[in-house]
Amino acid sequence: MMSFREKSAWTMALVMIVTGVFYAWLVSHAPMAPVIGPLLPYVLAVIVLSVVLQILLAILSPKEANAAADEREKLVIARAGHWSGMILAVLLMLAGGTYVVHPNGNMLFHHILGALIAAQTAEYLFQIYFLRRAI
């Protein structure tokens, strides 16, 4: 049986993947458009999906939703944050390198936002991985 933290991590990973693909689709259809064009619907989609799905999870498991993270879960969350931070650093370096070769401010913004989306998705996936393993 999955813990509430794992269900929440799966939910948020799914939200980040779906909305990340949505953002990439928006950017690919108008790469030179002002960045606010694809950013606004992306942010709204992340907020609405996250709130609705987290409320649904809390309704289905009210006791677990209100419980504080135990020591193991705190360690898992910290370790996942550590690893996803390293992924973010590498992706930001790649975004910076791309900007040096192709100096386009709009694409730099999209690359940085993509790095943030990928790193956040990785954090949820690391949480799932570490929750399923002995630490």
Side-chain angles (χ1 to χ4, degrees):
M1 184 168 154
M2 250 189 275
S3 69
F4 180 79
R5 301 270 178 242
E6 187 176 345
K7 290 177 198 171
S8 179
W10 275 111
T11 301
M12 291 310 299
L14 184 64
V15 166
M16 295 309 296
I17 291 168
V18 168
T19 56
V21 169
F22 175 60
Y23 183 77
W25 181 81
L26 289 173
V27 170
S28 70
H29 282 74
M32 292 304 164
V35 293
I36 194 70
L39 181 63
L40 190 59
Y42 166 74
V43 170
L44 290 174
V46 169
I47 291 170
V48 169
L49 285 174
S50 299
V51 169
V52 168
L53 292 174
Q54 289 295 328
I55 288 173
L56 186 62
L57 276 177
I59 289 171
L60 294 174
S61 309
K63 286 184 180 178
E64 289 180 275
N66 290 326
D70 62 24
E71 292 303 316
R72 181 178 178 275
E73 290 171 339
K74 288 178 184 176
L75 181 61
V76 162
I77 291 168
R79 192 171 282 183
H82 171 78
W83 284 99
S84 67
M86 285 197 249
I87 289 174
L88 178 61
V90 169
L91 292 176
L92 289 179
M93 298 276 286
L94 291 173
T98 303
Y99 182 74
V100 169
V101 176
H102 302 288
N104 180 328
N106 279 358
M107 290 313 293
L108 177 63
F109 178 86
H110 296 310
H111 288 154
I112 289 173
L113 189 60
L116 290 168
I117 293 168
Q120 190 61 54
T121 303
E123 182 171 351
Y124 292 124
L125 294 176
F126 280 130
Q127 285 180 14
I128 294 164
Y129 176 75
F130 291 133
L131 283 169
R132 290 180 169 234
R133 297 186 56 98
I135 292 183

